[in-house]
Amino acid sequence: MAAAAIVQILSVAFWLTIAFQRVDGWNQAHATYYGGSDAQGTNNGACGYSNVFSLGYGTMTAALSSPLFNNGKACGACYQIRCAGDSACNSNVITVTATNLCPQGSYGGWCDSPNAHFDLAQPAFNQIANLVAGHVSLEYQKVNCARSGGIRFSVQGHTYFIQVLVYNVGGAGDVTAVSIKGSNTGWISMNNAWGQNWQTGTVLDGQALSFMVTTSDGRTVTSNNVVGSGWQYGQTFEGSQF
């Protein structure tokens, strides 16, 4: 391997270490904000949550830089955050849910890899710092999510293509595997389409449906026959919770 290539690899590894350095159990990052004072601009993000308000996430949400977003695997995860080291900071500690991606090339370059960055909904940023600052240093740690009610399954698609948006997931919050079972089938592993949308081409029309959801901590919860045989596309159903 050429010496220049080795130097480049070592440089990337060094900056990744800096980006995720731990401080007293917390990780270092930076924060900006987006979405407007009412956070309406945070809807329709890369996790598939078309309306963060109707889905229960509200204004305490964040778009993550690519290293944290991890190709959508972080969708639904919860992070405790606090402003650190800036005159604009206050002492508040809040919890936000990952609902979107802050893409490479965004304004200011803060979301460019390998940066660990939270582009917070404006009301969330306002909870930890003065909005005038625009950008602050941040400390964060992943925490369990507290959700009201059960996991929700929003069923979309058609006979030969079922796509299910899985949301309102407690515990670790970030889903790593989903299986579906019809009343006439065994368990079928669903493919992750994007964000927290999961799909299968198996025909399940007219069957009662069950779901098995696994999160990043390895825990699994099963929602048996949560969908009756008379279900229709476009409906949402509530299952068990972690």
Side-chain angles (χ1 to χ4, degrees):
M1 182 180 292
I6 294 174
V7 170
Q8 185 178 21
I9 291 171
L10 291 175
S11 176
V12 171
F14 170 77
W15 286 112
L16 281 171
T17 301
I18 294 297
F20 293 98
Q21 181 181 357
R22 297 184 68 83
V23 179
D24 298 329
W26 292 72
N27 302 287
Q28 291 179 311
H30 294 267
T32 49
Y33 62 86
Y34 79 117
S37 59
D38 59 1
Q40 288 293 331
T42 63
N43 288 323
N44 298 304
C47 289
Y49 307 137
S50 58
N51 189 311
V52 294
F53 305 101
S54 64
L55 299 186
Y57 296 118
T59 60
M60 295 296 106
T61 62
L64 306 183
S65 59
S66 292
L68 293 177
F69 190 70
N70 194 19
N71 294 318
K73 293 181 175 63
C75 290
C78 293
Y79 298 88
Q80 194 174 66
I81 62 173
R82 63 189 183 191
C83 189
D86 285 277
S87 59
C89 294
N90 60 46
S91 59
N92 292 340
V93 179
I94 65 172
T95 299
V96 296
T97 300
T99 59
N100 202 356
L101 167 69
C102 185
Q104 194 88 356
S106 296
Y107 178 79
W110 292 109
C111 290
D112 291 354
S113 184
N115 295 330
H117 188 81
F118 289 73
D119 197 17
L120 299 170
Q122 183 174 321
F125 187 98
N126 199 32
Q127 289 288 314
I128 62 169
N130 191 320
L131 289 175
V132 176
H135 166 270
V136 293
S137 297
L138 189 73
E139 293 175 355
Y140 73 96
Q141 58 183 349
K142 191 171 183 293
V143 295
N144 280 340
C145 302
R147 303 295 185 211
S148 177
I151 298 172
R152 307 300 205 280
F153 304 94
S154 181
V155 182
Q156 306 292 334
H158 52 73
T159 297
Y160 301 103
F161 174 80
I162 296 177
Q163 181 166 281
V164 180
L165 174 66
V166 182
Y167 66 96
N168 198 56
V169 181
D174 44 355
V175 177
T176 58
V178 177
S179 294
I180 189 171
K181 185 172 75 71
S183 49
N184 298 325
T185 74
W187 285 105
I188 302 161
S189 294
M190 304 188 78
N191 299 315
N192 182 234
W194 60 281
Q196 283 303 344
N197 283 293
W198 299 79
Q199 64 186 31
T200 180
T202 303
V203 176
L204 295 168
D205 289 0
Q207 299 182 50
L209 304 179
S210 302
F211 293 97
M212 186 183 300
V213 175
T214 301
T215 46
S216 63
D217 57 359
R219 297 175 63 201
T220 298
V221 65
T222 302
S223 301
N224 287 312
N225 299 317
V226 67
V227 180
S229 59
W231 61 272
Q232 297 181 352
Y233 295 100
Q235 291 183 307
T236 299
F237 303 91
E238 183 175 354
S240 304
Q241 185 61 274
F242 286 96

